[in-house]
Amino acid sequence: MFVRSHITENVPDVVINVVDASNLERNLFLTTQLIDMNIKVVIALNMYDEFQKKGAKLNYDELARMIGIPIIPTVAVKGKGIDDLIRKIIDVYEDKDPVVRYIHINYGVNIEEAVSKIQAGIEDNKEIKNRYSDRYLAVKLLENDRTTISLLKNCMNFGKITGISQREIARLEKEYGEKSETIVTDAKYGFIAGALKETYIENKEQTRSASKEIDNFITHKILGFPIFIFFMWLMFQASFTLGGYPMGWIDAGVGFIGKSFIPLLMGFGCNVPAVMATRTLENRKDRILTMLITPFMSCSARLPVYVLLISAFFPKNQGLVLFSIYFAGIILAILSALLLRKILFRKQDVPFVMELPPYRIPSLKNTSIHMWNKAVQYLKKMGSVILLASIFIWALSYYPRNVKFSADYDTMTEQIKSDPVLSNVAKSERTAELELIKEAERQEKSFIGQMGHFIEPVIQPLGFDWKIGVSIITGLAAKEIVVSSMGILYQADLNADETSGSLINKLQQQQHTSGKLKGQKVFSRLVAFGFMLFVLIYFPCIAVIASIRKESGWRWAVFGMVYPTLIAWVVAFLTYQIGSLLV
């Protein structure tokens, strides 16, 4: 839908249609739509080396003449055929290629008759006909395409056009006994099958590929689940074992230039594209349901929080604990889907079929490009949302400056410094300790401390204190900010070693400053695990909410904020309360 909108609204000079040579019939379906649109197209027949290894043959020059679109074999991962493709694009743009011509896909007598009638209605609208192919619009109307219907709403004879299309749809569906969209799709595949029958020769002696053998094993209906769980665990364990080396290098490299930060570069995945990807689902209920449960699948923006807390409180079972957090998200997504389907999204299930592509070894070039693009995206995010939010949090924790302290810390400091009995080392230690107590009280009475205390009654049953509450609030903008918030709130010296002022050490030593738990340590393994579950589940970041609103409206966006936050509170509450009884 979005590719189509881009093509129709921006009118590119030439469209490059990348076709997977190993699956011609399925991939040429898009080509039939481009043919209907009557635009300049060049086909890049990609992964042609794999096609040749299968022993199959394709007369792509003849196929190009049949469909009126030049075809260039390419192996993009190795850069083969790219120069030829660029030269062909230039020829097509300059109208120098003899192959290019506009053809009509023959849909058969009945469908063609329906298309002609709808075209006659569209032809009266010159502003539409000048921008779009009327034949293409007629075919899309036969498919009952909502986007096309919306496009034509402003036409003066819109009622006439929709009347004709609905009558023709009813006629075809009665005659064929199928939905109109299926009828047109079958006709397109019929055209593709006819074209390939004259140009494509399959290798009849093709042996069973190793890829299919692997698929049969790892997608086995019984063995598939434990295999999946094992590889999930292996990936998370590697995050701490293998990932520890580059993290150390990054930390050392950044420390070498008068600056340091907690290693947030653990991953670059995001729920936003996942929400946008729901557009491919045909059923609206499926789209909304998928959007609502997507945030349960932990994006890597939450990973720095997990890494911090797991490193501090679960040093011996890091991979297992991280796996349990992700697995909990999967289980919650499944349970939520079942619950919401029963209550809000009741409908008949439809079969799901997914094509499994062959296994390929990634190239260093493509992997590097992918890593670079993701790193740039993250740095932009860190330099905008995260940086601005961190400054805002710092300001809230810094003001107001005219705090009324419970004790005269300045006088106490002077008394320590002038005490003749104490050594210089003892004076320094006591002065530093007193300064820390003063700063803790000042921060507690700051604007951000007041916010934390305001929500503290709600989060106390979870074992959280006001500082954790503040971190939760700041995480609404972006989950990475939770860690930077903790660095500010706990006054962690990010240049210090783990035995003095590091954030990990601060978390391990942090104590409750008020209430019945005053003097007790805030973080235990139970509280840390509950906090990670809360961060996993609660309020998705602003970007995800904005995406849900764009895709489904404000009603579901608000639901997407409230529902997971309530679930997060319940899960963290049960974890802490039940865990406290057992531990």
Side-chain angles (χ1 to χ4, degrees), residues 229-249 265-267 303 307 310-311 317-323 326:
I229 292 171
F230 168 75
F231 278 109
M232 287 278 287
W233 170 84
L234 185 64
M235 180 179 68
F236 298 135
Q237 184 63 39
S239 297
F240 287 96
T241 52
L242 298 179
Y245 296 104
M247 281 174 59
W249 300 335
L265 308 180
M266 290 294 295
L303 191 54
V307 171
I310 290 173
S311 299
N317 302 294
Q318 295 178 331
L320 182 62
V321 174
L322 183 59
F323 169 75
Y326 276 75

Side-chain angles (χ1 to χ4, degrees), residues 264-399:
L264 299 179
L265 308 180
M266 290 294 295
F268 306 98
C270 184
N271 287 153
V272 174
V275 170
M276 295 173 66
T278 60
R279 298 165 181 169
T280 59
L281 299 175
E282 296 180 0
N283 186 278
R284 174 174 167 78
K285 290 183 177 180
D286 284 343
R287 287 199 298 273
I288 296 174
L289 177 60
T290 306
M291 287 180 212
L292 295 178
I293 66 172
T294 292
F296 289 123
M297 313 306 289
S298 183
C299 69
S300 57
R302 299 173 172 100
L303 191 54
V305 184
Y306 306 153
V307 171
L308 174 67
L309 294 173
I310 290 173
S311 299
F313 301 101
F314 303 93
K316 294 183 180 179
N317 302 294
Q318 295 178 331
L320 182 62
V321 174
L322 183 59
F323 169 75
S324 68
I325 296 295
Y326 276 75
F327 193 69
I330 295 171
I331 297 298
L332 281 170
I334 294 171
L335 294 176
S336 293
L338 294 174
L339 177 65
L340 294 174
R341 187 180 290 278
K342 289 287 185 183
I343 299 174
L344 299 176
F345 302 104
R346 291 184 180 179
K347 73 174 199 63
Q348 185 178 1
D349 289 331
V350 295
F352 173 72
V353 178
M354 183 177 72
E355 178 188 353
L356 294 175
Y359 297 97
R360 300 182 178 93
I361 298 175
S363 69
L364 180 60
K365 178 183 176 182
N366 284 351
T367 303
S368 301
I369 292 172
H370 183 74
M371 289 171 60
W372 173 255
N373 289 336
K374 291 297 182 182
V376 169
Q377 289 176 22
Y378 182 79
L379 290 173
K380 285 181 179 178
K381 186 178 182 182
M382 189 173 70
S384 55
V385 176
I386 299 174
L387 177 60
L388 291 174
S390 297
I391 294 172
F392 182 65
I393 295 162
W394 171 84
L396 289 175
S397 65
Y398 190 77
Y399 295 102

Side-chain angles (χ1 to χ4, degrees), residues 147-168:
T147 303
T148 304
I149 293 173
S150 298
L151 176 69
L152 298 174
K153 273 186 178 178
N154 294 326
C155 294
M156 295 186 64
N157 64 339
F158 176 69
K160 176 184 176 182
I161 295 172
T162 54
I164 296 172
S165 62
Q166 290 304 314
R167 283 197 300 272
E168 292 305 311

